[in-house]
Amino acid sequence: MIAATTKKSAVESNPKSKAKAESQPKLKRVIWGTGGKGGVGKSTAMRGFYDLLRKKGVDVVAYDGDRDNSQLYRFYNDVGGGVTKISLDKRGESDALIETMDTAMPDVILVDVAAGGTQTLRSLEKDLRILSDAAE
């Protein structure tokens, strides 16, 4: 599993920097659940993340990239904003995720990637630089 965390920035604790921070784009946080094989608890962990975030009042947008075993979708599709099914390994089907990353302002984007999806995530990184851009 890949998870990105952040800590309180100096801008948040410095009132003089607050106005400048408000004019800058909001930081996107994406939690990716991925791994090499199925049955190790990725989807269960992502369900736990989704449940925890919602209970804490965090604005979360969720995607389920596991077409064969869509646990996140099955358990949470009728909750809040629901869960969107996507196939990250098919060109064009990840557009909703990319659009959310580019324009939407949720606090967290949660993505449950299918078993063996690490290569898919690497391909997306190569094509779209979704992880490199986040690190910069």
Side-chain angles (χ1 to χ4, degrees), residues 88-115:
L88 295 172
D89 58 344
K90 294 183 181 172
R91 282 221 185 267
E93 286 206 30
S94 59
D95 291 349
L97 171 62
I98 303 306
E99 181 72 18
T100 299
M101 292 177 77
D102 285 344
T103 62
M105 298 308 281
D107 296 321
V108 176
I109 300 168
L110 193 71
V111 185
D112 187 13
V113 181

Side-chain angles (χ1 to χ4, degrees), residues 42-97:
K42 293 180 303 296
S43 294
T44 302
M46 297 308 277
R47 283 177 40 210
F49 274 126
Y50 189 70
D51 195 39
L52 177 69
L53 292 167
R54 287 198 21 78
K55 284 182 179 177
K56 294 219 175 250
V58 175
D59 180 20
V60 59
V61 174
Y63 292 91
D64 194 327
D66 190 342
R67 290 281 187 185
D68 295 328
N69 186 20
S70 304
Q71 276 195 45
L72 196 60
Y73 179 84
R74 186 169 50 248
F75 282 89
Y76 292 101
N77 186 49
D78 295 328
V79 176
V83 175
T84 302
K85 283 186 178 183
I86 55 172
S87 290
L88 295 172
D89 58 344
K90 294 183 181 172
R91 282 221 185 267
E93 286 206 30
S94 59
D95 291 349
L97 171 62

